[in-house]
Amino acid sequence: DVKVTQSSRYLVKRTGEKVFLECVQDMDHENMFWYRQDPGLGLRLIYFSYDVKMKEKGDIPEGYSVSREKKERFSLILESASTNQTSMYLCASSSPMTGYGYTFGSGTRLTVV
Amino acid sequence: QKEVEQDPGPLSVPEGAIVSLNCTYSNSAFQYFMWYRQYSRKGPELLMYTYSSGNKEDGRFTAQVDKSSKYISLFIRDSQPSDSATYLCAMRETGGFKTIFGAGTRLFVKA
């Protein structure tokens, strides 16, 4: 069964901490994405990557950075966590072979206190 | 105006009902249309995708795209309590990387 695995389901961090969210996919997909999901706001794209070491800003990149050193792994970094970054974070991957439909991970619920 | 509009619901129906979920959009360049289902505390899963206009059927699910009206629908026949979830529409331009999601409609199917 194909998978996108996010390293943590629940995470609690303190304001100002540097936070790493890891995502690994085993489908050899070219494209990977990070979204955050908030009630009433839906899914908002933070960053995406269409190849190793390539990254593109999404709609809300401020306060975040990403790293893609290997094809299967895409990391989201919160440089200095703030309470307004409390959210559900979803990683996804896609490929031309699937019509670019996304396979999502189970999500990481991050709380910043 | 949002690129994709979707009524958040909640929508509550009895078991066995036909459910109609809808989205409207403003970008005429969208060519790929998708529906995702998201159970509570899980990531969304791709249900169906359609290219351009027309209908697509998969079991109890039918996706419809009307590009002239910029309107897409998902129909669920013989709805079951296990269909209770949030349904998100999504769409993308040909050759584009970004997929735009609707806010999701919360569906409850009562036994």
Side-chain angles (χ1 to χ4, degrees):
Chain A
D1 196 18
V2 294
K3 271 189 178 174
V4 175
T5 303
Q6 293 184 232
S7 53
S8 305
R9 289 300 306 276
Y10 300 95
L11 216 49
V12 179
K13 296 292 182 181
R14 295 196 178 277
T15 302
E17 275 193 79
K18 192 168 186 175
V19 182
F20 294 86
L21 302 182
E22 306 287 345
C23 176
V24 178
Q25 52 99 358
D26 64 1
M27 297 165 283
D28 201 35
H29 282 177
E30 293 83 357
N31 309 317
M32 296 188 75
F33 306 82
W34 275 106
Y35 283 85
R36 61 179 284 177
Q37 187 175 32
D38 301 286
L41 296 176
L43 283 160
R44 293 182 291 167
L45 181 63
I46 305 171
Y47 268 96
F48 65 100
S49 169
Y50 52 88
D51 202 353
V52 176
K53 296 193 185 294
M54 304 301 290
K55 58 186 179 184
E56 295 284 341
K57 292 180 180 179
D59 300 315
I60 52 163
E62 296 77 21
Y64 304 94
S65 62
V66 290
S67 172
R68 194 166 181 202
E69 296 297 317
K70 293 184 178 181
K71 189 175 186 179
E72 67 271 18
R73 187 179 295 270
F74 192 37
S75 303
L76 179 69
I77 303 149
L78 285 66
E79 298 291 343
S80 177
S82 64
T83 54
N84 63 15
Q85 291 178 311
T86 292
S87 187
M88 167 71 94
Y89 288 89
L90 288 159
C91 176
S93 69
S94 75
S95 163
M97 303 302 292
T98 61
Y100 292 104
Y102 289 1
T103 301
F104 281 93
S106 294
T108 296
R109 168 69 64 184
L110 173 67
T111 302
V112 182
V113 297
Chain B
Q1 184 192 1
K2 289 182 181 178
E3 277 191 284
V4 178
E5 298 275 3
Q6 184 176 12
D7 187 335
L11 180 62
S12 184
V13 301
E15 183 176 357
I18 296 175
V19 176
S20 172
L21 303 166
N22 311 295
C23 287
T24 58
Y25 63 95
S26 56
N27 185 351
S28 57
F30 287 143
Q31 293 280 6
Y32 288 89
F33 302 92
M34 290 147 281
W35 286 95
Y36 289 82
R37 177 176 62 197
Q38 185 176 21
Y39 291 115
S40 183
R41 299 189 201 89
K42 299 276 190 182
E45 58 178 321
L46 180 64
L47 263 182
M48 300 182 74
Y49 82 89
T50 313
Y51 175 73
S52 195
S53 282
N55 292 3
K56 189 173 184 178
E57 191 172 317
D58 184 2
R60 297 185 294 110
F61 298 89
T62 300
Q64 266 185 9
V65 175
D66 181 351
K67 291 192 70 182
S68 61
S69 302
K70 297 191 179 70
Y71 188 88
I72 69 170
S73 300
L74 178 71
F75 297 96
I76 307 174
R77 291 183 298 281
D78 188 24
S79 56
Q80 303 294 310
S82 59
D83 294 327
S84 298
T86 297
Y87 289 80
L88 301 104
C89 64
M91 40 203 84
R92 185 177 62 80
E93 299 178 23
T94 300
F97 286 106
K98 279 177 56 174
T99 295
I100 309 299
F101 287 84
T105 300
R106 192 115 187 251
L107 171 67
F108 295 97
V109 181
K110 297 174 292 186

